[in-house]
PDB file of all heavy atoms in Angstrom:
ATOM      1  N   ALA A 178      -7.886   4.658 -10.707  1.00 93.00           N
ATOM      2  CA  ALA A 178      -7.871   3.489  -9.720  1.00 93.00           C
ATOM      3  C   ALA A 178      -7.257   2.277 -10.308  1.00 93.00           C
ATOM      4  O   ALA A 178      -6.591   1.615  -9.652  1.00 93.00           O
ATOM      5  CB  ALA A 178      -9.295   3.276  -9.334  1.00 93.00           C
ATOM      6  N   PHE A 179      -7.482   1.947 -11.610  1.00 92.00           N
ATOM      7  CA  PHE A 179      -7.045   0.660 -12.094  1.00 92.00           C
ATOM      8  C   PHE A 179      -5.479   0.645 -12.083  1.00 92.00           C
ATOM      9  O   PHE A 179      -4.917  -0.441 -11.987  1.00 92.00           O
ATOM     10  CB  PHE A 179      -7.511   0.301 -13.636  1.00 92.00           C
ATOM     11  CG  PHE A 179      -6.986   1.237 -14.697  1.00 92.00           C
ATOM     12  CD1 PHE A 179      -5.821   0.859 -15.295  1.00 92.00           C
ATOM     13  CD2 PHE A 179      -7.670   2.380 -15.017  1.00 92.00           C
ATOM     14  CE1 PHE A 179      -5.429   1.661 -16.409  1.00 92.00           C
ATOM     15  CE2 PHE A 179      -7.210   3.162 -16.086  1.00 92.00           C
ATOM     16  CZ  PHE A 179      -6.044   2.888 -16.771  1.00 92.00           C
ATOM     17  N   ILE A 180      -4.812   1.850 -12.174  1.00 91.00           N
ATOM     18  CA  ILE A 180      -3.329   1.901 -12.116  1.00 91.00           C
ATOM     19  C   ILE A 180      -2.941   1.611 -10.583  1.00 91.00           C
ATOM     20  O   ILE A 180      -2.019   0.844 -10.310  1.00 91.00           O
ATOM     21  CB  ILE A 180      -2.766   3.148 -12.630  1.00 91.00           C
ATOM     22  CG1 ILE A 180      -3.112   3.213 -14.159  1.00 91.00           C
ATOM     23  CG2 ILE A 180      -1.319   3.283 -12.370  1.00 91.00           C
ATOM     24  CD1 ILE A 180      -2.584   4.578 -14.832  1.00 91.00           C
ATOM     25  N   VAL A 181      -3.569   2.392  -9.745  1.00 89.00           N
ATOM     26  CA  VAL A 181      -3.203   2.291  -8.196  1.00 89.00           C
ATOM     27  C   VAL A 181      -3.422   0.822  -7.732  1.00 89.00           C
ATOM     28  O   VAL A 181      -2.551   0.219  -7.143  1.00 89.00           O
ATOM     29  CB  VAL A 181      -4.014   3.204  -7.376  1.00 89.00           C
ATOM     30  CG1 VAL A 181      -3.796   3.123  -5.917  1.00 89.00           C
ATOM     31  CG2 VAL A 181      -3.712   4.728  -7.809  1.00 89.00           C
ATOM     32  N   LEU A 182      -4.543   0.243  -8.142  1.00 89.00           N
ATOM     33  CA  LEU A 182      -4.818  -1.098  -7.658  1.00 89.00           C
ATOM     34  C   LEU A 182      -4.109  -2.135  -8.468  1.00 89.00           C
ATOM     35  O   LEU A 182      -3.709  -3.155  -7.819  1.00 89.00           O
ATOM     36  CB  LEU A 182      -6.416  -1.308  -7.824  1.00 89.00           C
ATOM     37  CG  LEU A 182      -7.214  -0.365  -6.922  1.00 89.00           C
ATOM     38  CD1 LEU A 182      -8.689  -0.652  -7.052  1.00 89.00           C
ATOM     39  CD2 LEU A 182      -6.885  -0.464  -5.459  1.00 89.00           C
ATOM     40  N   GLY A 183      -3.804  -1.793  -9.684  1.00 83.00           N
ATOM     41  CA  GLY A 183      -2.926  -2.746 -10.489  1.00 83.00           C
ATOM     42  C   GLY A 183      -1.605  -2.851  -9.931  1.00 83.00           C
ATOM     43  O   GLY A 183      -1.047  -3.906  -9.859  1.00 83.00           O
ATOM     44  N   VAL A 184      -0.927  -1.698  -9.490  1.00 80.00           N
ATOM     45  CA  VAL A 184       0.417  -1.646  -8.889  1.00 80.00           C
ATOM     46  C   VAL A 184       0.373  -2.535  -7.670  1.00 80.00           C
ATOM     47  O   VAL A 184       1.251  -3.283  -7.409  1.00 80.00           O
ATOM     48  CB  VAL A 184       0.848  -0.164  -8.557  1.00 80.00           C
ATOM     49  CG1 VAL A 184       2.020  -0.166  -7.701  1.00 80.00           C
ATOM     50  CG2 VAL A 184       1.084   0.572  -9.906  1.00 80.00           C
ATOM     51  N   TRP A 185      -0.683  -2.373  -6.860  1.00 79.00           N
ATOM     52  CA  TRP A 185      -0.896  -3.110  -5.589  1.00 79.00           C
ATOM     53  C   TRP A 185      -0.891  -4.644  -5.872  1.00 79.00           C
ATOM     54  O   TRP A 185      -0.108  -5.334  -5.261  1.00 79.00           O
ATOM     55  CB  TRP A 185      -2.171  -2.680  -4.900  1.00 79.00           C
ATOM     56  CG  TRP A 185      -2.343  -3.233  -3.551  1.00 79.00           C
ATOM     57  CD1 TRP A 185      -1.840  -2.870  -2.372  1.00 79.00           C
ATOM     58  CD2 TRP A 185      -3.137  -4.460  -3.229  1.00 79.00           C
ATOM     59  NE1 TRP A 185      -2.229  -3.651  -1.301  1.00 79.00           N
ATOM     60  CE2 TRP A 185      -2.994  -4.676  -1.812  1.00 79.00           C
ATOM     61  CE3 TRP A 185      -3.849  -5.385  -3.985  1.00 79.00           C
ATOM     62  CZ2 TRP A 185      -3.544  -5.705  -1.191  1.00 79.00           C
ATOM     63  CZ3 TRP A 185      -4.439  -6.385  -3.365  1.00 79.00           C
ATOM     64  CH2 TRP A 185      -4.266  -6.601  -1.962  1.00 79.00           C
ATOM     65  N   ILE A 186      -1.768  -5.089  -6.803  1.00 79.00           N
ATOM     66  CA  ILE A 186      -1.844  -6.545  -6.997  1.00 79.00           C
ATOM     67  C   ILE A 186      -0.660  -7.146  -7.608  1.00 79.00           C
ATOM     68  O   ILE A 186      -0.181  -8.197  -7.363  1.00 79.00           O
ATOM     69  CB  ILE A 186      -3.167  -6.974  -7.749  1.00 79.00           C
ATOM     70  CG1 ILE A 186      -3.476  -8.460  -7.636  1.00 79.00           C
ATOM     71  CG2 ILE A 186      -3.091  -6.465  -9.227  1.00 79.00           C
ATOM     72  CD1 ILE A 186      -4.077  -8.834  -6.382  1.00 79.00           C
ATOM     73  N   VAL A 187       0.018  -6.366  -8.590  1.00 76.00           N
ATOM     74  CA  VAL A 187       1.314  -6.884  -9.165  1.00 76.00           C
ATOM     75  C   VAL A 187       2.322  -7.001  -8.152  1.00 76.00           C
ATOM     76  O   VAL A 187       3.124  -7.961  -8.130  1.00 76.00           O
ATOM     77  CB  VAL A 187       1.723  -5.857 -10.296  1.00 76.00           C
ATOM     78  CG1 VAL A 187       3.104  -6.295 -10.830  1.00 76.00           C
ATOM     79  CG2 VAL A 187       0.712  -6.017 -11.535  1.00 76.00           C
ATOM     80  N   GLY A 188       2.333  -5.972  -7.117  1.00 71.00           N
ATOM     81  CA  GLY A 188       3.280  -6.120  -6.095  1.00 71.00           C
ATOM     82  C   GLY A 188       3.090  -7.327  -5.223  1.00 71.00           C
ATOM     83  O   GLY A 188       4.067  -7.951  -4.825  1.00 71.00           O
ATOM     84  N   GLN A 189       1.809  -7.744  -5.091  1.00 71.00           N
ATOM     85  CA  GLN A 189       1.568  -8.936  -4.269  1.00 71.00           C
ATOM     86  C   GLN A 189       2.152 -10.186  -4.966  1.00 71.00           C
ATOM     87  O   GLN A 189       2.770 -11.030  -4.383  1.00 71.00           O
ATOM     88  CB  GLN A 189       0.024  -9.218  -4.058  1.00 71.00           C
ATOM     89  CG  GLN A 189      -0.712  -7.944  -3.485  1.00 71.00           C
ATOM     90  CD  GLN A 189      -0.133  -7.557  -2.130  1.00 71.00           C
ATOM     91  OE1 GLN A 189      -0.010  -8.352  -1.296  1.00 71.00           O
ATOM     92  NE2 GLN A 189       0.088  -6.282  -2.014  1.00 71.00           N
ATOM     93  N   PHE A 190       1.922 -10.218  -6.273  1.00 70.00           N
ATOM     94  CA  PHE A 190       2.388 -11.374  -7.146  1.00 70.00           C
ATOM     95  C   PHE A 190       3.901 -11.495  -7.189  1.00 70.00           C
ATOM     96  O   PHE A 190       4.475 -12.501  -6.908  1.00 70.00           O
ATOM     97  CB  PHE A 190       1.947 -11.323  -8.557  1.00 70.00           C
ATOM     98  CG  PHE A 190       0.520 -11.872  -8.746  1.00 70.00           C
ATOM     99  CD1 PHE A 190      -0.553 -11.113  -9.024  1.00 70.00           C
ATOM    100  CD2 PHE A 190       0.298 -13.315  -8.592  1.00 70.00           C
ATOM    101  CE1 PHE A 190      -1.830 -11.601  -9.140  1.00 70.00           C
ATOM    102  CE2 PHE A 190      -0.971 -13.863  -8.811  1.00 70.00           C
ATOM    103  CZ  PHE A 190      -2.026 -12.987  -9.087  1.00 70.00           C
ATOM    104  N   PHE A 191       4.593 -10.317  -7.214  1.00 68.00           N
ATOM    105  CA  PHE A 191       6.027 -10.215  -7.190  1.00 68.00           C
ATOM    106  C   PHE A 191       6.555 -10.743  -5.841  1.00 68.00           C
ATOM    107  O   PHE A 191       7.574 -11.506  -5.672  1.00 68.00           O
ATOM    108  CB  PHE A 191       6.679  -8.899  -7.448  1.00 68.00           C
ATOM    109  CG  PHE A 191       6.767  -8.648  -8.984  1.00 68.00           C
ATOM    110  CD1 PHE A 191       6.007  -7.755  -9.671  1.00 68.00           C
ATOM    111  CD2 PHE A 191       7.697  -9.375  -9.687  1.00 68.00           C
ATOM    112  CE1 PHE A 191       6.145  -7.566 -11.065  1.00 68.00           C
ATOM    113  CE2 PHE A 191       7.867  -9.173 -11.074  1.00 68.00           C
ATOM    114  CZ  PHE A 191       7.125  -8.293 -11.805  1.00 68.00           C
ATOM    115  N   SER A 192       5.829 -10.329  -4.798  1.00 61.00           N
ATOM    116  CA  SER A 192       6.289 -10.732  -3.478  1.00 61.00           C
ATOM    117  C   SER A 192       6.216 -12.223  -3.273  1.00 61.00           C
ATOM    118  O   SER A 192       7.003 -12.883  -2.630  1.00 61.00           O
ATOM    119  CB  SER A 192       5.371 -10.098  -2.393  1.00 61.00           C
ATOM    120  OG  SER A 192       5.493  -8.633  -2.590  1.00 61.00           O
ATOM    121  N   VAL A 193       5.094 -12.938  -3.900  1.00 59.00           N
ATOM    122  CA  VAL A 193       4.966 -14.320  -3.836  1.00 59.00           C
ATOM    123  C   VAL A 193       6.117 -15.007  -4.559  1.00 59.00           C
ATOM    124  O   VAL A 193       6.785 -15.920  -4.127  1.00 59.00           O
ATOM    125  CB  VAL A 193       3.650 -14.807  -4.338  1.00 59.00           C
ATOM    126  CG1 VAL A 193       3.552 -16.276  -4.532  1.00 59.00           C
ATOM    127  CG2 VAL A 193       2.580 -14.334  -3.374  1.00 59.00           C
ATOM    128  N   ALA A 194       6.349 -14.567  -5.789  1.00 57.00           N
ATOM    129  CA  ALA A 194       7.361 -15.138  -6.701  1.00 57.00           C
ATOM    130  C   ALA A 194       8.742 -15.038  -6.082  1.00 57.00           C
ATOM    131  O   ALA A 194       9.602 -15.866  -6.276  1.00 57.00           O
ATOM    132  CB  ALA A 194       7.297 -14.403  -8.148  1.00 57.00           C
TER     133      ALA A 194
END
Side-chain angles (χ1 to χ4, degrees):
F179 72 88
I180 295 177
V181 175
L182 299 177
V184 165
W185 183 86
I186 195 75
V187 167
Q189 307 301 313
F190 276 110
F191 273 112
S192 302
V193 169

